[in-house]
Amino acid sequence: MLDSLKNCQPQTYAAMRIVAGFLFLWHGAQKLVGFPAPAPDVPALLLYVPGPIELIGGTMIMLGLFTRPVAFLASGLMAAAYFMGHMFRAPEDADILHYVFPLVNRGELAALYCFVFLYIAAKGNGICSLGGDED
């Protein structure tokens, strides 16, 4: 039954790339312009460095422009976000679970984005992209 999905691999990859880019760009919009939700209360450096990467990079990934280098940059940004903002920012009374499990340290989204963008960087544009098919 699921073998029939093999015929849809290019389309499902394109859908994943487009949706991941679309969702990612809104994190940048939030940081830079406070839309669709107010920007988080963090130091300006944590808003104005990742904000453009998320907004512009998410748009480029969604459209399929310069997908490999942009997705690689986004993957690195999310790895840094996980290690700086989640893994090593434990409260004083934290146990080992806080450092190891993304569910506990609230780093699930950063970890997932990191590996989705790493996969996109490895695979390239795929179909439905303005940059053509890189495969």
Side-chain angles (χ1 to χ4, degrees):
M1 179 172 121
L2 294 178
D3 286 338
S4 63
L5 288 176
K6 288 181 183 178
N7 297 332
C8 299
Q9 286 180 6
Q11 292 84 0
T12 54
Y13 172 73
M16 183 196 67
R17 177 184 51 79
I18 292 166
V19 169
F22 178 76
L23 295 174
F24 196 59
L25 76 88
W26 292 111
H27 289 278
Q30 177 189 23
K31 288 178 178 74
L32 296 175
V33 297
F35 180 81
D41 188 25
V42 296
L45 180 67
L46 296 179
L47 293 176
Y48 298 119
V49 172
I53 295 172
E54 293 168 349
L55 180 63
I56 297 166
T59 303
M60 292 177 77
I61 290 168
M62 180 179 71
L63 297 175
L65 294 170
F66 304 105
T67 306
R68 288 181 194 268
V70 172
F72 188 74
L73 177 65
S75 176
L77 176 70
M78 290 296 94
Y82 180 77
F83 288 110
M84 290 173 53
H86 298 282
M87 187 171 184
F88 296 120
R89 286 195 168 223
E92 290 182 24
D93 61 342
D95 57 5
I96 191 68
L97 291 177
H98 191 90
Y99 296 102
V100 177
F101 293 104
L103 180 64
V104 178
N105 65 28
R106 300 181 62 184
E108 291 174 285
L109 191 56
L112 185 61
Y113 269 135
C114 177
F115 285 98
V116 166
F117 289 137
L118 186 61
Y119 178 67
I120 291 171
K123 185 148 175 73
N125 289 342
I127 64 170
C128 300
S129 63
L130 297 179
D133 193 1
E134 291 179 356
D135 291 338

